[in-house]
Amino acid sequence: MNTLLLLLPALGWGLLPPVVAKLGGKPSNEILGTALGTLIASVGVFIVLRPQITLQSFLLAAFAGAFWIVGQVGQYHGYQKIGVSQTMPISTGLQLVGTSLIGVFIFGEWSTVVEKAFGALGVLLLIIGIWLTSITDRKQQGKNKQRVNTIIMLILTSAGYWVYNSIPRGLSESGLAIFLPESIGMVLAAVIYILATKQGNVFKEKTSWTNIIGGLIFSFAAVTYILSVKANGVNTAFVVSQVSVVISTLLGMVWMHETKSRRELMYTIMGLVLIVAGAVITTIF
């Protein structure tokens, strides 16, 4: 059972990007459906478990969920601009770099010299891995400019993931207890994003509602990850969950038919290896 719990989060988070991309629609359709699907799942978890949570923690968790929308909107735009197989390694690597640095400077992690040395090595591997996965043979000026702009957009929106991953560290409640308020924050932020960008028509579009499937997949991964942490420990659960980036990248190439040259494929595989290695090192130390 413990081994199964280790693998399920990686499977869920690995399936999410290609499934959402396959369901189609604009990023606004995808983000609304994902947020609603997560809310539906979190209500079910709350009804079954009835976890206790303070008002302060509820509000902070909702705030974290709102920032998750920032990061996820960036990812969804990335799928459309440069594809799943290039977006996911870059986005995952950026999440790990930012979260690791926040852990050091805000939460006081890597307190010893040895921890700092290995932590810095892990971050360096992540950065090199991100760079390798972003290499492309395509030299057309228009496409190259779009790719660079998309990478810059991913860097900026990844800040949303950093906040989302950092706030729960300061809360005493369990991951399952803050799941509902996080999802409420996600839905509110998604609605604000849609209204602010004047895309109110997405509420009526079918693809917004079919993308609820994406939210259910995300919720499955999130809940099984929380259970895996309890059963296997934080380090083991987190490291194995990073296999999701390998799954999503490969599915992007195979299922979504995102083609890569032999050189691009070689650099992508090397980058994935370094990103997973960097995740292992920064987590262990």
Side-chain angles (χ1 to χ4, degrees):
M1 182 62 179
N2 288 3
T3 303
L4 181 61
L5 280 176
L6 272 176
L7 299 175
L8 290 178
L11 179 62
W13 279 321
L15 282 172
L16 177 62
V19 167
V20 168
K22 201 74 172 178
L23 288 171
K26 303 182 294 291
S28 51
N29 298 120
E30 295 167 344
I31 203 64
L32 177 62
T34 304
L36 289 174
T38 305
L39 178 62
I40 291 169
S42 67
V43 169
V45 170
F46 181 81
I47 291 173
V48 173
L49 300 180
R50 296 297 177 92
Q52 299 296 312
I53 185 171
T54 65
L55 177 60
Q56 181 182 12
S57 294
F58 187 99
L59 294 175
L60 285 172
F63 189 67
F67 270 91
W68 180 85
I69 292 296
V70 175
Q72 202 67 17
V73 166
Q75 264 196 19
Y76 287 168
H77 276 282
Y79 299 165
Q80 293 196 347
K81 300 292 185 182
I82 60 175
V84 171
S85 61
Q86 190 166 73
T87 297
M88 286 312 298
I90 295 172
S91 179
T92 301
L94 289 170
Q95 289 178 57
L96 292 168
V97 169
T99 303
S100 298
L101 294 178
I102 288 173
V104 174
F105 293 111
I106 296 181
F107 295 100
E109 297 175 356
W110 303 351
S111 56
T112 68
V113 174
V114 173
E115 289 174 341
K116 283 185 172 65
F118 277 98
L121 173 62
V123 170
L124 179 61
L125 292 178
L126 289 169
I127 293 172
I128 296 173
I130 293 169
W131 172 68
L132 288 173
T133 59
S134 69
I135 293 176
T136 177
D137 289 337
R138 299 175 179 84
K139 298 299 182 182
Q140 299 98 319
Q141 186 175 356
K143 288 188 177 180
N144 189 55
K145 184 178 180 181
Q146 176 177 276
R147 185 176 62 86
V148 171
N149 289 339
T150 302
I151 291 174
I152 293 172
M153 180 269 298
L154 288 173
I155 293 172
L156 296 176
T157 55
S158 288
Y161 287 129
W162 302 342
V163 175
Y164 168 73
N165 288 321
S166 299
I167 287 179
R169 297 190 191 188
L171 304 180
S172 59
E173 285 84 357
S174 69
L176 291 174
I178 66 174
F179 190 33
L180 176 60
E182 280 183 342
S183 68
I184 292 174
M186 290 175 185
V187 172
L188 291 175
V191 171
I192 291 171
Y193 163 72
I194 290 167
L195 295 178
T197 54
K198 299 180 180 180
Q199 301 182 76
N201 58 313
V202 303
F203 294 108
K204 303 176 183 178
E205 293 173 353
K206 182 180 178 181
T207 49
S208 298
W209 304 99
T210 55
N211 270 287
I212 285 176
I213 297 171
L216 297 176
I217 293 174
F218 171 81
S219 301
F220 170 80
V223 170
T224 54
Y225 176 72
I226 293 168
L227 297 176
S228 179
V229 167
K230 291 182 178 180
N232 302 292
V234 175
N235 287 354
T236 303
F238 180 80
V239 168
V240 176
S241 73
Q242 297 311 297
V243 176
S244 62
V245 69
V246 179
I247 296 173
S248 60
T249 302
L250 294 177
L251 285 176
M253 291 185 287
V254 177
W255 190 20
M256 303 300 296
H257 306 294
E258 296 172 0
T259 59
K260 289 182 180 289
S261 68
R262 181 174 296 183
R263 177 173 174 269
E264 289 173 333
L265 181 60
M266 179 185 69
Y267 280 128
T268 296
I269 292 173
M270 290 170 57
L272 287 172
V273 170
L274 291 182
I275 288 172
V276 173
V280 171
I281 293 173
T282 54
T283 302
I284 292 176
F285 291 95

